[in-house]
Amino acid sequence: MNIVVGITGASGAIYGIRLLEVLKIVPQVTTHLVMSKYAVKNIGLETDYSIEQVLGLANYTYDNDGLAARISSGSYITDATVIVPCSMKTLACISNGICDTLVSRAADVALKESRKLIICPRETPLNSIHLENMLKLSRLGVKIIPPMPAFYNKPKTLDDVLNHQVMKICDCLGIANEIGRRWE
């Protein structure tokens, strides 16, 4: 599977990092990573990871301004695009067809080619514009998986919370996994 992973400037870059860590150990998955400039900033603010460490988790990396990258074309076959976390700016761009960055263009390609698109919007509280943008994308078949912790699994650590979110993303990608604790 060729999977594009976009990490944008919303708080919660660790979700994207954990997804990359999990996908790295799945032999049939090749990852293509794009990070916005504020994702890079948030990684430094919110985590102990260096940008080099994060880049090293992906098979291929691209500059968010690189609109000529192969993942910006529908003729380059990908199986899915996951944007985690997805900022409200990126959500609005995708919802309105504004392809001014490689992340939003990769999402647009997924939509136009009827490929799997998963977004993990990270914002609270949500206003009507956010909800309308999500509804528009949901009606187009986009899977919306906001990082909302479950408590039936009795999380004890931040890793438990992160793993549950990544489990849900992997489930949606069709990747068999036992990353998180499931409902019994």
Side-chain angles (χ1 to χ4, degrees):
M1 295 177 76
N2 261 336
I3 300 175
V4 176
V5 176
I7 301 177
T8 67
S11 182
I14 191 65
Y15 287 110
I17 295 168
R18 179 57 52 89
L19 177 64
L20 288 167
E21 289 173 336
V22 167
L23 295 178
K24 188 170 182 68
I25 61 174
V26 180
Q28 67 270 24
V29 171
T30 300
T31 53
H32 302 263
L33 173 63
V34 186
M35 295 186 289
S36 72
K37 69 180 179 181
Y38 290 110
V40 171
K41 180 107 175 137
N42 280 347
I43 289 168
L45 292 171
E46 297 179 352
T47 79
D48 293 328
Y49 287 83
S50 70
I51 297 306
E52 293 74 25
Q53 287 174 305
V54 176
L55 294 172
L57 294 171
N59 297 98
Y60 299 96
T61 60
Y62 307 88
D63 186 285
N64 199 29
D65 292 325
L67 290 171
R70 62 185 170 178
I71 61 171
S72 71
S73 174
S75 67
Y76 183 74
I77 304 298
T78 59
D79 297 287
T81 298
V82 182
I83 303 172
V84 55
C86 183
S87 68
M88 292 302 109
K89 176 189 181 284
T90 302
L91 173 72
C93 286
I94 296 166
S95 177
N96 291 288
I98 301 168
C99 302
D100 61 344
T101 66
L102 188 54
V103 171
S104 59
R105 175 60 186 166
D108 189 65
V109 168
L111 285 170
K112 78 182 189 74
E113 299 293 334
S114 298
R115 297 177 187 155
K116 195 170 287 190
L117 175 58
I118 300 167
I119 62 167
C120 301
R122 226 308 299 142
E123 183 65 81
T124 192
L126 297 167
N127 67 38
S128 294
I129 295 169
H130 303 149
L131 294 168
E132 287 173 5
N133 284 334
M134 283 186 248
L135 179 60
K136 185 191 299 187
L137 292 176
S138 177
R139 286 180 173 152
L140 293 171
V142 175
K143 297 298 182 192
I144 300 171
I145 308 175
M148 294 180 177
F151 294 98
Y152 61 80
N153 58 0
K154 298 183 181 171
K156 307 241 183 311
T157 66
L158 180 58
D159 280 345
D160 292 339
V161 173
L162 295 172
N163 289 340
H164 185 268
Q165 178 72 14
V166 172
M167 175 187 77
K168 300 300 280 184
I169 295 168
C170 287
D171 288 349
C172 194
L173 289 168
I175 297 172
N177 71 88
E178 291 304 320
I179 301 161
R181 190 164 161 234
R182 297 185 183 278
W183 180 261
E184 296 287 328

